[in-house]
Amino acid sequence: NAENLVFCSKCPRAFHRRCLNADGCSDDVTNLPHNWECQRCHRDKQVLPTEESLDQLTVLSVIEKAFSNMEKDSYFKFGTILLSNIHQILNQLKKHDHGILFLSPVDPREVKDYLDVVSRPMDYGTISSKLEMGSYVNDIAEGVNAVELDDDYMTAMEKILFHVLRDIEQVYHNCLLYNQKGCNYYRCGEVHLAKWRAFYKKFVEDRTGESVKIHLNDFRKSCKLERQNSNRVRHFQVLGGDHPNRKAVAVYDPDIKMIVKQYSSKTSAITAAMILKNAGYECEVQLTERNVKEKLKIALEDDSKMIFGYRWIFTDDLRSANFKLKEKSLAFGNDSLTSPAADNIVILREDKLSGARFRGFESEQSAFEDWSTTRAAAINSVSGIGDKSDFVNNFLDGNQSIDGVVWRRVQTNSGRYDDVIADQKEKSRVSENGRFSEENDL
């Protein structure tokens, strides 16, 4: 397109041509076919080595406790192992591309006709909670959202396993049923369905009884038939402009008095915050998929609350000057996190282009640990073996960077960090009026 982005024909992902080779694309990026499928789509269909950390023989204590009243069941030990594995797989899926879309229930106040189409809403968060609380036992006993399984060969634990697997499949069925084929939401459902099936085939299928597999296959067929018979045209009803979830959110850096990012809605800002959290960035509050909405709401309303070292403000409030700023520590960029004393700073992490300082370090070791975390979450591939000598030689004393971030030794006439602080204050004074820049949604 006009921005030189290449769009996958299968999933919602888009890439700069220059980034494709770094992502493992072996195709000629100057002459890609119309139906080109990106490398990440191929990875969606398999379990990668970095995703094989599943402990297949351990029962999670939370699962064992939740289903302890089933311990007399002949399938209890093996069943709790499988349920523990599924719980771990769900955590992997939550972190996978676009996983934020499936973390919590669809809000029918936002998607007004959703419940007219979807009879059994389901999401990753609900399934995880039901596993942790052991809710599946009571649901089956009371017939709540349960399938009547007239199968004498299935134990009670196997019936629970089937209902868990059915709920996971229900997440994707709902997505594909409600959304128009080819739209981004539909494609996100296909991405996660492929990834789940890869996990299922590797860790679950061969360890599941035949009765469970037969009933699960019947459920999949019924879902497919329902989608085939659904010829509806989707009329998505958008929220009004005054709805809080549709208000633009700005990410404001008090140090340089600039908006560094803007999101068109609160929902997009929530997505961004979880991506940063999952990438390993340090945050003042503990963010989870369950509390991120509430934490962002508090930050938007409370002038003293920071997230990832920034103020998150409704753009309308920023334009009308209806906000206050909490002073940030220039030595560290975030006074809510543990900060080394200014006198002891020997290494800085900063933006290569703008020179903005993100963090200070008292030693090579602390800077190396920060570099290792950043390297593991890097968008672009990073060459080298990744040990401390690699960091010192190629980054600290060299000129390499990771996604535009560099680490450098503090060089001042006094050998102290005071001069760096003074320089930062001068830059802040010069840019007092700030600049307003809008970015596309993440």
Side-chain angles (χ1 to χ4, degrees), residues 13-72:
R13 303 179 182 102
F15 305 85
H16 291 103
R17 292 183 186 275
R18 66 179 181 274
C19 300
L20 282 177
N21 288 331
D23 196 50
C25 178
S26 58
D27 299 321
D28 178 6
V29 297
T30 62
N31 188 30
L32 294 172
H34 179 69
N35 61 345
W36 174 74
E37 189 173 315
C38 72
Q39 285 294 313
R40 297 195 185 186
C41 277
H42 294 294
R43 296 173 199 164
D44 291 336
K45 301 170 187 174
Q46 54 188 296
V47 177
L48 304 178
T50 54
E51 299 167 333
E52 291 184 347
S53 57
L54 207 66
D55 192 342
Q56 299 181 54
L57 300 177
T58 300
V59 178
L60 297 177
S61 58
V62 65
I63 300 297
E64 188 172 35
K65 182 179 179 181
F67 294 93
S68 58
N69 58 341
M70 303 291 295
E71 60 184 354
K72 293 183 179 179

Side-chain angles (χ1 to χ4, degrees), residues 178-192:
Y178 180 79
N179 295 291
Q180 195 73 27
K181 186 173 183 179
C183 78
N184 278 347
Y185 290 110
Y186 190 97
R187 291 183 174 199
C188 289
E190 290 184 313
V191 165
H192 272 254

